[in-house]
């Protein structure tokens, strides 16, 4: 490869100029890490160790790249703009379709003018649009590393271990807890196809060295986790850089992940160094900016527009100068046809080396088109509990998981849903995803050597990593046409509802990615187990009263929250929610067993009605005056209400609605929504919930309605602990408290309606 180094050096120089010019005129972005990482990126892209097709970033049989250090996106934009320009030139010259890249799939020089502007190139790395070369949305420190574990695992499970996942990150992010979890996971899952490239420059944002607070170096950081480690202390020397690639990749270990480190200088070639170069570009057209340009101008015989002068005051003139200087920097490429041919020939050669088929590939058929997954009306009878049985709602997840993975999955010779939990697999009822159903054997626990097809991933207390792994796995779309359908792996992950915040970061990034990436993504089922004060004996450290609210921190339509109150509703709402084009389904479950109601005898709607998001437990008696609407959500709350339903019917004429999923309810036809909860009934309503009142906002009509509602935080205090009965009584959600709450609501109806009228209702 030494003959290629002269090209890499020139590409480095051009890339530096492009990113510096872009940051100069935009005055926003991160130059320091972008400079220090550029050489390792160029070696990765042009050395042939990473197999990919720059023209087809969606192609399934290829390696994947994650810019875990997402703030260094100026580097990627600059390199891609240089590549895009070279391919455009070559195609214009030759007309050869091998050199055509669709403009929507590659950054072009003119795109640099719109960096960090609405509709332009984003300020951090995103998997979509012109940067589909990147395979995850990144920027928050260490969030890309667990995703890389998930992507590598998806490839391994699909029989594509020959394809690798590469991630570039700085050592600052390696101090985050998520990176330690990811290192453990990568070793545990035997991901010999995972490679992290570490920019070791000893600086972050603050004015101190990283080594002043972090012990050791990459050898200690990674070898202690069972990783292979290769690196160089000369991270800006091409010979040493390339030696790391050769040593790391020419003799892989199929079970051990690999760290490749490069000792660099943050801000290398920028003129401002170390932490000072992190996130603040040199002032626009400042003397220092022009001083750094001299080296490039003298080396390549060019001169920039406005050299040595302040930026034009007129915005249009400044934009013109911006564009001129991009073109001047690229003239060094455009006037060097040998370099243009090297870039285009080399990347075309790498792209054309990818196979059209892989004999070991396991996912030839897409199982997610199978209606048996979603049609809850045809689920086996034994999935549902009989009236009078006493079972927790979470037990239904065991049955549903074993049915979907064993009965349906065996038709396709693979599990459909991969389960991951932080040493809480049985506690949160995910073990069913590895169990058999009838005559169909289960897939069991994953083992990196002996059971790669296993559906349950073993892990210790790696809550954040499990979420990032899930997000990463479902972005690996191995469909032949990933623009039209998803074929890969869905993931179910779980934790206590009280710990749900540990999952939010990666789910937030997945939701953003799914919104804008043109490729289809899979689905994540996010189980918030042991939610509510029903986790009584564990006391308030484990109550999911407030924390489950993080699953509501998404735009409308980007997540479906499910709150089935009893066992038989769980399979129904899962089947329905997964049939929708929404990537994240949050399933809120509780711990205690409750008696399955005899719905027919009680006059309650069939549990299939839960699929509609809300249904009637009780309707108004048309022969009596209406007295308001009660909207109830949660296990103990609904069970306790149902236990006194005859008394409620006798004493009051109230409509009672089971609130299962606001998202599913909003998807129903208008006539159904108006039948269940017309505006007049909603205005005259109260809610009852086992969680915090603030989490019922989608069902609360107004602040006035809050005054009559019942919730675990009724006195704005944390609940304590004890038996389920004791804690529910303390929460004022026992049957007697519910009755008295409805009584107060009914008795104050005239007063309430008068106040509503004053408010314009």
């Amino acid at each position: 490869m030494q003959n290629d180094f002269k090209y890499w050096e020139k590409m480095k120089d051009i890339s530096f100029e492009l990113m510096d010019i872009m940051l100069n005129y935009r005055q926003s972005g991160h130059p320091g890490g972008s400079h220090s990482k550029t050489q390792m990126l160029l070696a990765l892209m042009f050395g042939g160790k990473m197999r990919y097709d720059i023209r087809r970033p969606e192609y399934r049989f290829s390696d994947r790249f994650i810019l875990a250090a997402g703030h260094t996106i100026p580097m990627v934009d600059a390199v891609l703009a240089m590549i895009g320009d070279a391919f455009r030139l070559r195609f214009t010259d030759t007309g050869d379709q091998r050199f055509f890249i669709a403009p929507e799939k590659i950054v072009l020089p003119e795109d640099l003018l719109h960096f960090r502007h609405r509709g332009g190139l984003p300020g951090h790395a995103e998997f979509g649009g012109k940067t589909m070369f990147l395979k995850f949305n990144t920027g928050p420190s260490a969030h890309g590393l667990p995703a890389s574990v998930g992507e590598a695992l998806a490839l391994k499970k699909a029989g594509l271990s020959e394809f690798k996942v590469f991630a570039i990150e700085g050592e600052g992010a390696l101090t985050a807890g998520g990176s330690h979890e990811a290192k453990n996971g990568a070793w545990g899952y035997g991901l010999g196809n995972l490679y992290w490239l570490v920019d070791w420059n000893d600086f972050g944002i603050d004015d101190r060295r990283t080594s002043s607070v972090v012990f050791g170096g990459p050898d200690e950081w990674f070898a202690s986790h069972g990783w292979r480690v290769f690196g160089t202390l000369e991270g800006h020397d091409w010979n040493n850089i390339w030696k790391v690639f050769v040593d790391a990749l020419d003799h892989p270990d199929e079970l051990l992940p690999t760290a490749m480190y490069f000792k660099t200088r943050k801000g290398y070639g920028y003129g401002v160094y170390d932490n000072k170069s992190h996130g603040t570009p040199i002032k626009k057209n400042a003397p220092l900016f022009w001083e750094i340009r001299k080296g490039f101008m003298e080396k390549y015989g060019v001169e920039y527009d406005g050299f040595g002068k302040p930026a034009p005051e007129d915005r249009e003139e400044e934009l013109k100068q911006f564009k001129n200087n991009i073109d001047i920097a690229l003239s060094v490429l455009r006037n060097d046809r040998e370099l243009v041919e090297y870039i285009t020939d080399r990347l075309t050669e790498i792209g054309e080396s990818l196979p059209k088929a892989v004999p070991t590939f396991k996912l030839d058929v897409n199982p997610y088109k199978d209606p048996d997954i979603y049609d809850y009306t045809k689920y086996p009878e034994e999935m549902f509990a009989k009236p009078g049985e006493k079972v927790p709602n979470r037990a239904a997840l065991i049955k549903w998981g074993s049915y979907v993975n064993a009965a349906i999955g065996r038709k396709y010779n693979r599990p459909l849903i991969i389960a991951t939990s932080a040493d809480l697999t049985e506690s949160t009822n995910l073990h069913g995803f590895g169990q058999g159903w009838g005559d169909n054997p289960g897939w069991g626990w994953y083992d990196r050597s002996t059971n790669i097809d296993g559906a349950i991933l073993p892990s210790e207390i790696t809550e954040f990593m499990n979420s990032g792994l899930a997000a990463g796995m479902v972005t690996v779309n191995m469909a032949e046409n990933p623009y039209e359908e998803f074929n890969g792996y869905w993931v179910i992950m779980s934790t206590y509802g009280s710990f749900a915040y540990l999952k939010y970061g990666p789910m937030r990034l997945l939701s953003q990615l799914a919104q804008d990436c043109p490729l289809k993504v899979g689905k994540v089922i996010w189980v918030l187990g042991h939610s509510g004060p029903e986790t009584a004996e564990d006391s308030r450290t484990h109550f999911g009263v407030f924390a489950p609210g993080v699953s509501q921190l998404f735009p409308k339509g980007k997540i479906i929250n499910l709150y089935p109150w009893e066992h038989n509703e769980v399979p129904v709402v899962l089947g329905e929610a997964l049939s929708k084009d929404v990537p994240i389904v949050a399933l809120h479950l509780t711990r205690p067993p409750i008696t399955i109601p005899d719905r027919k005898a009680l006059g309650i709607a069939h549990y299939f009605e839960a699929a509609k998001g809300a249904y009637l437990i009780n309707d108004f008696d048309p022969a009596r005056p209406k007295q308001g609407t009660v909207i109830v959500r949660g296990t103990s709350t609904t069970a306790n209400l149902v236990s006194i339903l005859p008394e409620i019917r006798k004493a009051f004429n109230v409509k009672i609605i089971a609130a299962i999923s606001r998202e599913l309810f909003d998807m129903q036809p208008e006539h159904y929504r108006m039948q269940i909860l017309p505006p007049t009934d909603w205005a005259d309503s109260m809610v009852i919930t086992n969680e915090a009142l603030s989490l019922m906002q989608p069902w609360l009509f107004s602040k006035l309605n809050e005054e009559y509602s019942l919730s675990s935080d009724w006195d704005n205090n944390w609940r304590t602990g004890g038996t389920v009965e004791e804690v529910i009584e303390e929460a004022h959600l026992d049957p007697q408290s519910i009755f008295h709450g409805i009584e107060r609501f009914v008795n104050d109806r005239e007063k309430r309606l008068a106040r509503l009228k004053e408010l314009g209702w």
Side-chain angles (χ1 to χ4, degrees):
M1 293 302 299
Q2 288 188 338
N3 292 333
D4 291 25
F5 293 168
K6 63 180 180 181
Y7 301 118
W8 296 4
E9 180 69 14
K10 198 167 189 178
M11 287 190 287
K12 178 209 72 178
D13 291 345
I14 296 169
S15 299
F16 278 4
E17 294 301 298
L18 292 177
M19 74 176 83
D20 290 358
I21 292 167
M22 178 178 72
L23 294 172
N24 174 68
Y25 290 101
R26 183 61 185 88
Q27 284 295 290
S28 180
H30 298 78
S34 296
H35 270 256
S36 56
K37 296 172 179 63
T38 298
Q39 288 176 269
M40 67 178 79
L41 176 66
L42 289 171
L44 178 64
M45 294 181 73
F46 287 90
K49 301 299 184 185
M50 180 170 73
R51 295 188 299 160
Y52 67 107
D53 192 336
I54 195 69
R55 305 161 301 179
R56 297 181 297 158
E58 73 280 4
Y59 187 58
R60 56 182 174 171
F61 298 138
S62 62
D63 294 344
R64 300 173 70 85
F65 174 67
I66 295 175
L67 183 65
H71 63 290
T72 61
I73 190 64
M75 163 187 68
V76 170
D77 288 339
V79 171
L80 291 181
M82 175 182 63
I83 291 170
D85 201 46
F87 271 84
R88 184 164 57 181
L89 283 168
R90 191 77 183 278
F91 177 68
T92 300
D93 285 350
T94 66
D96 190 335
Q97 286 293 325
R98 293 183 307 134
F99 303 121
F100 176 75
I101 303 180
E104 65 271 16
K105 294 182 181 181
I106 192 71
V107 177
L108 295 169
E110 54 268 30
D111 297 318
L112 303 181
L113 303 174
H114 308 291
F115 176 66
R116 289 196 166 207
H117 282 290
R118 184 176 62 188
L121 298 174
H124 283 79
E126 294 190 11
F127 175 18
K130 290 174 171 285
T131 52
M132 282 203 297
F133 166 70
L134 307 175
K135 294 303 187 285
F136 200 71
N137 285 24
T138 58
S141 291
H143 282 52
L145 300 177
S148 73
V149 174
E151 295 192 17
L153 180 60
L155 293 172
K156 178 171 181 172
K157 289 185 68 63
L160 299 177
S161 289
E162 66 179 272
F163 297 105
K164 306 173 183 66
V165 176
F166 295 90
I168 288 181
E169 185 58 281
E171 85 261 43
L174 298 181
T175 65
S179 71
H180 293 277
E181 294 180 11
K183 284 186 282 186
N184 282 323
W187 181 87
Y189 303 139
L191 301 181
N193 60 339
L194 179 62
Y195 293 78
W196 289 1
L197 283 66
V198 178
D199 175 18
W200 182 24
N201 60 54
D202 205 24
F203 278 96
I205 302 173
D206 289 344
D207 195 15
R208 55 157 178 75
R209 289 184 176 273
T210 302
S211 56
S212 68
V213 292
V214 176
F215 171 78
D219 287 304
E220 291 87 355
W221 303 337
F222 286 96
S224 61
H225 288 73
W227 286 49
R228 303 189 310 149
V229 187
F230 303 90
T232 177
L233 298 178
E234 301 293 335
H236 296 300
D237 176 78
W238 290 116
N239 282 294
N240 284 288
I241 292 170
W242 186 242
K243 185 177 186 302
V244 175
F245 279 85
V246 171
D247 292 345
L249 287 145
D250 281 6
H251 304 285
D253 187 303
E254 66 177 17
L255 294 179
L256 297 182
T258 300
M260 303 160 60
Y261 69 84
F262 306 85
K263 192 73 171 70
T264 67
R265 179 82 187 272
K266 191 166 188 171
Y268 173 74
Y270 185 61
V272 178
Y273 299 99
D274 306 329
N275 61 296
K276 302 298 184 185
S277 69
H278 178 82
T280 305
I282 297 167
K283 295 297 182 183
K284 191 184 298 182
N285 282 25
L288 178 59
F289 172 76
W290 292 123
E291 181 65 27
I292 301 303
R293 308 279 74 75
K294 284 182 180 178
F296 184 82
M297 292 192 301
E298 292 171 1
K299 186 174 183 178
Y300 296 108
V302 298
E303 182 171 340
Y304 285 115
D305 185 7
F307 176 72
K309 299 177 183 178
E313 294 183 5
D314 180 76
R315 174 59 185 155
E316 291 301 318
E317 287 299 315
E318 181 184 300
L319 191 61
K320 181 179 178 181
Q321 185 181 97
F322 185 178
K323 184 179 185 305
N324 287 344
N325 285 334
I326 290 289
D327 287 336
I328 290 167
L330 281 170
S331 69
V332 176
L333 167 68
R334 294 165 180 169
N335 293 329
D336 186 346
R337 291 297 158 151
E338 183 180 341
L339 180 58
V340 169
E341 291 178 5
Y342 171 79
I343 292 172
T344 52
D345 286 341
R346 183 63 177 143
L347 293 184
T348 299
E349 176 190 10
I350 293 171
E352 292 179 350
S353 71
L354 296 173
K356 294 181 179 179
V358 178
T360 57
F361 183 51
K362 300 176 182 178
L363 311 186
D364 286 322
V365 180
N366 186 351
Y368 303 111
K369 296 179 179 181
D370 193 329
D372 288 348
I373 300 172
Y374 316 105
D375 190 352
Y376 51 85
T377 66
K378 295 180 180 177
Y379 286 167
E381 183 180 348
E382 57 266 37
M383 189 176 294
F384 301 100
K386 298 289 191 291
E389 291 185 41
K390 196 169 185 178
V391 288
N393 61 7
R394 60 194 177 102
L397 186 60
I398 305 172
K399 300 178 186 177
W400 186 83
S402 59
Y403 172 72
V404 169
N405 264 358
I408 301 178
R410 284 292 174 184
K411 292 194 292 183
Y412 303 97
N413 297 313
R414 48 163 295 194
L416 308 188
I417 303 174
I418 306 304
T420 178
S421 188
D423 201 25
L424 292 169
T425 303
E426 292 198 27
S427 173
T428 55
N429 300 89
L430 298 197
H431 54 295
F433 289 85
Q435 293 179 350
W437 181 273
D439 295 332
N440 299 291
W443 298 95
W445 286 78
Y446 172 91
D447 183 274
R448 57 183 177 171
S449 299
T450 61
N451 190 20
I452 294 172
D453 289 332
I456 303 176
L457 302 179
S459 73
E460 286 300 319
I461 315 303
T462 55
E463 300 276 17
F464 186 85
M465 191 274 290
N466 292 354
S467 181
L469 176 148
M473 283 196 82
V474 302
T475 62
V476 183
N477 188 343
M478 291 167 274
E480 191 169 0
N481 184 355
Y483 293 98
E484 298 296 328
E485 63 182 19
F486 175 83
N487 190 9
Y489 292 98
W490 289 358
V491 179
I492 185 168
M493 64 174 186
S494 67
T495 188
Y496 277 60
S498 54
F499 310 145
Y501 54 88
L502 296 170
K503 306 291 192 185
Y504 179 69
M507 290 298 99
R508 171 177 164 270
L509 294 180
L510 171 62
S511 179
Q512 294 170 355
L513 185 160
Q515 173 181 291
D516 296 321
C517 182
L519 308 185
K520 299 293 184 180
V521 302
K523 296 179 186 291
V524 173
I525 304 171
W526 177 4
V527 177
L528 297 89
H530 305 302
S531 286
E534 289 95 332
T535 315
E537 288 86 353
D538 282 342
S539 297
R540 54 190 169 193
T541 59
H542 284 54
F543 288 176
V545 172
F546 292 92
V550 299
S551 68
Q552 297 183 24
L553 301 180
F554 295 83
K556 187 176 181 179
K558 307 302 182 187
I559 189 170
I560 296 177
N561 279 279
L562 306 174
Y563 300 85
W565 70 274
E566 58 103 333
H567 176 284
N568 290 343
E569 294 180 345
V570 174
V572 173
V573 294
L574 278 171
E576 182 68 11
L578 291 169
S579 73
K580 308 302 182 184
D581 188 19
V582 178
I584 305 172
V585 174
L587 178 63
H588 300 252
L589 297 175
T590 50
R591 174 180 288 180
I594 62 167
T595 301
I596 301 300
D598 187 335
R599 290 173 178 258
K600 187 174 182 179
L602 289 168
I604 301 175
H606 194 279
Y607 48 77
F608 283 172
E609 295 297 290
K612 297 176 180 177
Y615 63 84
L616 292 182
I617 292 176
N618 188 64
D619 203 353
F620 292 119
D621 180 351
R624 301 160 63 190
K626 294 180 179 180
Q627 294 181 309
T629 297
V630 178
I631 302 170
V632 61
R633 190 176 79 185
T635 295
S636 292
T637 42
T638 310
N640 287 342
L641 183 150
V642 168
S643 74
I644 56 171
L645 188 57
E647 292 90 334
I648 293 173
R649 284 172 171 161
K650 182 177 180 180
F652 317 115
N653 185 26
V654 292
K655 176 188 281 189
I656 303 175
I657 299 171
I660 308 302
S661 171
R662 185 72 207 205
E663 294 87 353
L664 288 181
F665 182 65
D666 287 343
M667 293 176 186
Q668 301 310 306
E670 183 179 8
H671 70 84
Y672 181 80
R673 289 184 281 114
M674 290 301 100
Q675 173 193 339
I676 300 297
L677 190 59
T680 51
D681 290 354
W682 193 20
D684 185 15
S685 69
M686 64 176 289
V687 304
I688 305 174
T689 177
N690 61 339
E691 294 183 337
L693 186 61
S694 60
L695 306 193
M696 285 295 284
Q697 288 302 319
W699 295 103
L700 281 163
F701 183 80
S702 72
K703 288 293 181 182
L704 175 59
N705 302 73
E706 289 185 12
E707 295 179 22
Y708 291 89
S709 295
L710 306 177
S711 64
S712 287
D713 61 332
W714 62 273
D715 58 351
N716 293 315
N717 281 312
W718 299 98
R719 301 277 63 85
T720 57
T723 66
V724 173
E725 292 75 14
E726 288 169 341
V727 174
I728 292 301
E729 182 178 318
E730 181 193 356
H732 289 193
L733 298 173
D734 57 286
Q736 184 178 12
S737 295
I738 289 174
F739 186 91
H740 289 320
I742 296 174
E743 182 178 47
R744 173 175 172 263
F745 169 71
V746 168
N747 289 342
D748 281 3
R749 185 168 190 264
E750 289 188 12
K751 186 188 344 182
R752 286 188 292 102
L753 295 183
R755 291 174 62 189
L756 277 172
K757 190 173 182 180
E758 291 174 4
L759 296 172
W761 279 88

